[in-house]
Amino acid sequence: MPELPEVETVVRTLRPQVLNARITKVELLRPSVVLPQSLPLDSLCGCRIIAADRRGKLILLRLLPPPGADGGEYPACLVVHLRMTGRLMPHPTGTPPHAHTRCLFHLEGPHGKSVLFFDDVRAFGLLFAATPERLAAWDFWRELGPEPLAVPADALARQLAPRLSSRRGPIKSLLLDQKILAGIGNIYADEALFRARIDPRRPANSLDATSLLTLCRELQAVLRLSIEQCGSSIRDYRDANGNVGAFQNSFAAYGRGGQPCVTCGRPLEKTQVGGRATVYCPHCQH
DNA sequence: TCCTCCCTGTTC
DNA sequence: GAACAGGGAGGA
C-alpha cells in the first residue's frame, strides 16, 4: 500500500536506474491500466527520461521528446499511480513478464539496456502519458492538496486550517482526502493521529490551532521516519530495487487492533471510520 | 457526507 | 466460500 514514504522511496531508488534512458518500446499487456485521457503509450517511444519526481502518491517520469521530433504529439511526462499493489522495477532485457505484469517499458540508458516492469496484482494502478495540457486538465491532479513535507509544520497547519474549518467529517477521513492533503493513506493517518493523541473520529472543525499544529508536527515526523526506513512493507510493497521497507516494525497503531497501546498498555480499539479500518487508543486519543 | 464498486490474493 | 485489504470514482 504505497503512500507518500513508499512512493518517495520508489522514486529515489528508480531515479538512478532510469535517468537519461530512452524509451525504445512499450508493451501494454493490460490496456485498462491506462487513463482514458492518456496519449497512446506508443507515443512514449523515443522519449528520454530526464527526471523522476513525486507529487503526493504519484510518480512522474519527466520526458524529453526524441530529437528532431516533428508534428506528432509527445508526452512531457509519464504519470504512474501504484495504488494498492503496483510496483515499478527495472529488470534485465529478456526477463519474461510476470503473472501480473501490466506494462513493459524497454529502456536504452547510459548503463545499457533494461526493461522497466509495471506490475500490479490488483490492477488498481494507472498509467498516464501526459502533455502539460492533459495533465492540467486532469481533475485529480488539479485538485491535489498541498505536499505534507514541503513546508514547516506551522505553515502546513496554516494551509490546512481553512480547509478543515467548515468540515464536520471525521479528521481521519479528511487526512485521507487527497484534495485536502496529498500522499496520506490509511497507515500514516492512523499513525499520525495516534502520535498526536487525537481521536480519528473527531470532527475536523473541532480541532483548535494547537491540536492542528501538533497533528501537522506528528504527521511530518512519522512521514520522515518512514522515509528514513525506506517505507513500510505490508505484503506487496517493494522499492525499485526489489527491497522491502522497515517502518512496518515501528507501527504504533496501524494493524495493531487488540494489542497493547505502546503508551498506556491498554488494548487498542479497531473500528471503521469513513469505511476504512481504523485503530486507535480510546484512552490516549481524544 | 456516506455507500458501493473496482480487482485479486490472503485470511478466516 | 465469505470477509477483508483499500485509493479513488461515481452515485445516492
Side-chain angles (χ1 to χ4, degrees):
Chain A
M1 26 214 78
E3 304 178 25
L4 189 153
E6 291 76 34
V7 177
E8 178 65 29
T9 303
V10 169
V11 169
R12 288 181 183 185
T13 51
L14 187 63
R15 191 177 285 135
Q17 306 190 66
V18 300
L19 213 53
N20 291 314
R22 193 173 298 284
I23 301 171
T24 55
K25 185 176 153 194
V26 179
E27 292 180 76
L28 179 58
L29 307 179
R30 175 128 169 179
S32 63
V33 301
V34 179
L35 272 192
Q37 58 267 55
S38 173
L39 287 173
L41 294 195
D42 283 340
S43 66
L44 296 162
C45 293
C47 293
R48 195 158 58 91
I49 300 170
I50 53 168
D53 302 320
R54 177 192 62 75
R55 171 83 171 97
K57 298 174 194 173
L58 297 174
I59 297 166
L60 296 114
L61 300 180
R62 311 279 181 182
L63 304 169
L64 214 56
D70 56 337
E73 201 178 11
Y74 287 94
C77 94
L78 172 63
V79 183
V80 182
H81 195 325
L82 301 174
R83 284 279 183 93
M84 305 297 305
T85 54
R87 288 185 191 178
L88 215 44
M89 211 179 299
H91 290 282
T93 308
T95 307
H98 310 141
H100 301 107
T101 300
R102 308 309 184 191
C103 191
L104 297 168
F105 302 92
H106 294 258
L107 304 179
E108 270 183 39
H111 315 298
K113 296 185 179 183
S114 64
V115 186
L116 180 60
F117 276 56
F118 176 57
D119 291 352
D120 186 8
V121 169
R122 285 158 75 173
F124 273 22
L126 54 89
L127 301 172
F128 179 11
T131 59
E133 297 75 23
R134 286 173 189 242
L135 191 57
W138 186 25
D139 288 344
F140 181 78
W141 174 263
R142 208 179 45 240
E143 297 171 3
L144 208 46
E147 280 294 320
L149 295 179
V151 295
D154 57 339
L156 183 62
R158 283 195 298 275
Q159 285 181 304
L160 291 182
R163 294 163 173 260
L164 302 182
S165 62
S166 63
R167 304 290 294 268
R168 286 172 301 180
I171 180 64
K172 172 171 175 177
S173 299
L174 295 181
L175 287 180
L176 295 176
D177 185 342
Q178 302 300 297
K179 297 174 188 169
I180 301 286
L181 195 58
I184 309 305
N186 211 23
I187 294 173
Y188 299 100
D190 274 9
E191 293 299 314
L193 288 164
F194 177 84
R195 293 170 60 112
R197 302 175 72 97
I198 294 170
D199 190 316
R201 301 162 301 178
R202 258 182 74 178
N205 62 1
S206 75
L207 270 65
D208 61 19
T210 309
S211 302
L212 184 56
L213 180 56
T214 303
L215 179 55
C216 289
R217 286 207 176 110
E218 295 303 332
L219 181 65
Q220 292 192 334
V222 76
L223 292 175
R224 291 201 171 102
L225 269 176
S226 182
I227 291 171
E228 276 176 27
Q229 298 181 39
C230 299
S232 312
S233 295
I234 308 299
R235 50 176 77 85
D236 296 282
Y237 168 72
R238 296 290 186 279
D239 71 17
N241 291 320
N243 296 319
V244 298
F247 193 68
Q248 67 279 6
N249 301 316
S250 305
F251 289 163
Y254 180 85
R256 296 193 66 244
Q259 297 178 47
C261 169
V262 296
T263 307
C264 73
R266 293 176 173 85
L268 297 174
E269 183 97 2
K270 183 176 180 183
T271 183
Q272 296 266 121
V273 176
R276 294 283 168 248
T278 299
V279 178
Y280 71 106
C281 177
H283 182 254
C284 297
Q285 294 175 252
H286 299 286

